[in-house]
Amino acid sequence: MSKFKKKSKADTNIPTSALPDIIFMLLFFFMVTTVLREQEILVEQKIPQATQLQKLQKKTLISYLYVGKPKNTALYGSEPRIQANDVLINTSDIVLWVTQEKDKLSEAERDQITISLKADREVKMGPISDIQFELREVDARKLMYASVGRVEN
């Protein structure tokens, strides 16, 4: 008479050999289906030409302000407006916007933030001076004026 032993423990090992394949399939899926978000410019942009241009290396430290006449003049009027990210803001909102932009950066990079001002060539100097003053108030002193290269005839 032979005694049969009853298995007391169930096999709890989960096969993990297919996990890397699954992870790479998910990664590939999200890389293919993800659309990078681009800002919709709500103001007119005819950028002035320049004679000397310098390209920046670290674009993660750049935040963009667009200044120009709104495209939808029926809703926003015809006076130049400031666009930060995807919304139109007032000059008084610049301090809050810069603070939010600095909060997105690491502690070491906050002082290196550069504001790129893309102003329409038709914008008068008054709104530009107001923007500069607000940027000084929040200690965002690196200001870059965006332009296009000069066309040689």
Side-chain angles (χ1 to χ4, degrees):
M1 207 166 142
S2 82
K3 290 187 176 180
F4 293 101
K5 283 189 175 179
K6 183 178 174 187
K7 264 190 172 177
S8 60
K9 291 185 179 179
D11 189 15
T12 57
N13 291 336
I14 299 172
T16 58
S17 61
L19 282 179
D21 294 335
I22 294 170
I23 290 172
F24 283 118
M25 283 181 7
L26 284 173
L27 178 65
F28 183 72
F29 172 77
F30 285 113
M31 285 174 51
V32 169
T33 58
T34 302
V35 176
L36 294 178
R37 184 171 177 258
E38 291 190 20
Q39 292 181 7
E40 178 185 348
I41 307 298
L42 302 173
V43 295
E44 290 182 6
Q45 290 287 289
K46 290 180 252 162
I47 305 295
Q49 294 180 350
T51 56
Q52 294 181 350
L53 297 177
Q54 183 178 2
K55 205 167 197 176
L56 289 177
Q57 300 300 325
K58 201 165 186 187
K59 294 194 180 204
T60 58
L61 298 176
I62 302 174
S63 296
Y64 297 92
L65 280 179
Y66 303 93
V67 183
K69 185 176 89 173
K71 290 180 179 178
N72 187 350
T73 55
L75 185 60
Y76 299 113
S78 61
E79 289 299 311
R81 297 289 303 265
I82 304 166
Q83 178 183 345
N85 299 335
D86 284 335
V87 294
L88 295 175
I89 63 172
N90 295 319
T91 310
S92 58
D93 300 327
I94 290 176
V95 172
L96 177 64
W97 174 76
V98 171
T99 305
Q100 291 171 345
E101 291 294 306
K102 283 184 174 182
D103 288 344
K104 294 177 187 176
L105 301 173
S106 69
E107 189 72 36
E109 294 177 328
R110 288 185 183 169
D111 293 336
Q112 300 173 10
I113 190 169
T114 301
I115 306 300
S116 175
L117 187 61
K118 292 188 172 186
D120 186 73
R121 68 175 75 167
E122 303 297 323
V123 174
K124 304 285 186 229
M125 195 58 197
I128 304 297
S129 295
D130 295 343
I131 292 169
Q132 291 171 339
F133 179 77
E134 292 296 323
L135 291 172
R136 272 184 294 223
E137 290 292 312
V138 75
D139 200 29
R141 299 187 185 270
K142 290 184 181 178
L143 182 60
M144 175 178 71
Y145 296 97
S147 68
V148 294
R150 187 171 80 172
V151 179
E152 298 292 331
N153 291 340

